[in-house]
Amino acid sequence: MNYNYRYRLKPTEDQRETLDYHRDTCRQLYNHALYRFNQIPEDKGTVKQRVRKIRDELPDLKDWWDALTDVYSKVLQPTVMRIAKNINALGKLKEQGYKVGELRWKSPREFRSFTYNQSGFELDKKGGQTVLSLSLSKLDDIRIELHRPLPDDATVKQVTLKKAKTGEWVAIFGIEMNTEPPAKPPLEDIDTGDMVGVDVGILKYAHDTDGTAVESLDFSEEHSRVEREQRKLSRKEYGSNNWEKQRQRVAECHLDIKRKRRDFLHKLSNYYAREYDLVTVEDLNVKGMLESPRNSRN
């Protein structure tokens, strides 16, 4: 099975500039590859075959594009292959009834990550201490907060470096483990006392068939803070340094709400997974509920 482990990075100011430089170089390569992809006729192969053709042009591209030589080769290749992944993702959304268009060039604010695929990265322990650094080829040794260890039997397949909207950097380890999920027992073998049904409530967050009512989280203070910071942002000159600082404050407010909501949902789902053998939930039209202008936040 494949898992993603996410850790915070602690780069210095110089390292932040280098990370941004690599990120922007990958963005420009992505835009160039998308331009080349649109030039290739559809009858020249499948989407993946046409993208691979562009990927094979990277050695020749480096002859006149000097910035590409500053970036590790195993970073450039996944950047080009991202086009095929994005097109497949758009196709799946279209099958689900969403209105989708075509891929567009990425602006600096839209392209926020790049990936080391298979090689070019290594975790190093400094002086036998718990402080670790992530060694990245053609980058630097960047401090990393390893708040939980990687599994001993895990194989790290890739590392994605991502810049959040708040300005902080994170490393996402894509690992592979030789484990499979446990098989589902037959329904007739499950005791009715170990079954529960969960229904989304209105005045309460949820109700279950055992009579438990789960209170909703109160985000009134957090939403008020977002509104205050958003008003301050609207008074700043767009694109200025003060505007960028205030934009990050607004992003931090949204991230605080997101983390609290995620923590609440993980603890609640963990409770039901540990206490019951079978959990049934209401089949909701979540897409339609989110399109409601009045109830989407609820």
Side-chain angles (χ1 to χ4, degrees), residues 36 40-41 44 47-58 80-81:
R36 284 282 296 115
I40 302 176
K44 294 298 182 180
V47 171
K48 202 166 187 178
Q49 288 173 344
R50 285 179 282 161
V51 175
R52 282 178 177 172
K53 181 180 179 180
I54 301 171
R55 184 194 62 184
D56 295 339
E57 297 175 358
L58 283 174
V80 175
M81 296 305 298

XYZ file of all heavy atoms in Angstrom, residues 36 40-41 44 47-58 80-81:
157
model
N 4.343 22.919 -25.781
C 4.778 21.905 -26.741
C 3.712 20.817 -26.894
O 3.481 20.314 -28.004
C 6.098 21.287 -26.285
C 7.294 22.158 -26.501
C 7.739 22.134 -27.970
N 8.171 20.792 -28.360
C 7.550 20.059 -29.265
N 6.444 20.501 -29.851
N 8.010 18.858 -29.585
N 1.481 19.241 -30.511
C 1.524 17.876 -31.049
C 0.103 17.425 -31.383
O -0.785 17.468 -30.521
C 2.169 16.910 -30.036
C 3.584 17.382 -29.667
C 2.200 15.494 -30.587
C 4.249 16.539 -28.613
N -0.159 16.980 -32.607
C -1.511 16.519 -32.970
C -1.932 15.310 -32.127
O -1.103 14.503 -31.683
C -1.366 16.141 -34.452
C -0.155 16.880 -34.921
C 0.772 16.960 -33.745
N -0.928 11.597 -32.931
C 0.464 11.176 -32.765
C 0.672 10.280 -31.550
O 1.809 9.981 -31.197
C 1.369 12.405 -32.662
C 1.435 13.253 -33.936
C 2.016 12.454 -35.101
C 2.129 13.313 -36.343
N 2.699 12.554 -37.489
N -2.152 10.478 -24.678
C -1.683 11.621 -23.882
C -0.331 11.314 -23.243
O 0.601 12.122 -23.297
C -2.722 11.976 -22.797
C -2.153 13.004 -21.828
C -3.997 12.492 -23.428
N -0.193 10.122 -22.689
C 1.054 9.758 -22.025
C 2.209 9.653 -23.016
O 3.343 10.052 -22.716
C 0.867 8.434 -21.283
C 1.859 8.214 -20.157
C 1.428 7.077 -19.263
C 2.330 6.972 -18.048
N 1.895 5.890 -17.133
N 1.931 9.137 -24.194
C 2.988 9.004 -25.199
C 3.468 10.369 -25.684
O 4.664 10.591 -25.876
C 2.472 8.179 -26.373
C 2.297 6.703 -26.062
C 1.617 5.950 -27.185
O 0.999 6.539 -28.075
N 1.721 4.620 -27.163
N 2.543 11.304 -25.840
C 2.938 12.638 -26.291
C 3.714 13.385 -25.213
O 4.662 14.115 -25.502
C 1.693 13.437 -26.699
C 1.113 13.009 -28.043
C -0.120 13.804 -28.381
N -1.284 13.312 -27.650
C -2.397 14.020 -27.470
N -2.487 15.246 -27.959
N -3.416 13.501 -26.823
N 3.322 13.188 -23.948
C 4.052 13.835 -22.854
C 5.442 13.227 -22.714
O 6.423 13.941 -22.452
C 3.251 13.722 -21.540
C 4.064 14.274 -20.371
C 1.929 14.465 -21.639
N 5.553 11.921 -22.892
C 6.874 11.278 -22.826
C 7.795 11.792 -23.934
O 9.012 11.914 -23.729
C 6.719 9.759 -22.929
C 6.259 9.104 -21.637
C 6.078 7.618 -21.827
N 5.713 6.947 -20.589
C 5.356 5.679 -20.507
N 5.320 4.930 -21.610
N 5.044 5.136 -19.340
N 7.224 12.083 -25.067
C 8.030 12.640 -26.163
C 8.631 13.979 -25.755
O 9.802 14.272 -26.052
C 7.163 12.787 -27.411
C 7.914 13.335 -28.608
C 7.009 13.462 -29.828
C 7.778 14.034 -31.007
N 6.915 14.180 -32.214
N 7.855 14.797 -25.054
C 8.366 16.086 -24.568
C 9.416 15.872 -23.487
O 10.430 16.573 -23.430
C 7.200 16.941 -24.040
C 6.170 17.163 -25.149
C 7.707 18.274 -23.511
C 4.900 17.815 -24.673
N 9.183 14.877 -22.629
C 10.166 14.572 -21.585
C 11.500 14.157 -22.194
O 12.569 14.512 -21.664
C 9.628 13.454 -20.685
C 10.519 13.113 -19.500
C 10.098 11.806 -18.876
N 10.223 10.699 -19.814
C 9.847 9.451 -19.551
N 9.318 9.148 -18.382
N 10.003 8.490 -20.459
N 11.474 13.435 -23.282
C 12.716 12.998 -23.930
C 13.476 14.155 -24.573
O 14.648 13.987 -24.944
C 12.398 11.936 -24.989
C 11.830 10.662 -24.369
O 12.054 10.444 -23.166
O 11.145 9.896 -25.088
N 12.839 15.309 -24.700
C 13.512 16.473 -25.273
C 14.313 17.260 -24.234
O 14.976 18.237 -24.594
C 12.474 17.405 -25.910
C 11.712 16.797 -27.081
C 10.615 17.711 -27.599
O 10.445 18.804 -26.990
O 9.943 17.358 -28.578
N 14.262 16.864 -22.968
C 14.929 17.613 -21.901
C 16.442 17.751 -22.115
O 16.986 18.841 -21.910
C 14.640 16.959 -20.546
C 13.252 17.226 -19.954
C 13.044 16.411 -18.690
C 13.070 18.710 -19.662
N 7.392 17.495 -16.109
C 6.789 17.342 -17.434
C 5.646 16.327 -17.397
O 4.576 16.544 -17.985
C 7.860 16.923 -18.455
C 7.223 16.650 -19.815
C 8.930 17.995 -18.585
N 5.845 15.222 -16.670
C 4.821 14.177 -16.621
C 3.583 14.626 -15.857
O 2.535 13.968 -15.922
C 5.406 12.911 -15.985
C 6.541 12.274 -16.769
S 6.098 11.903 -18.492
C 4.769 10.723 -18.270
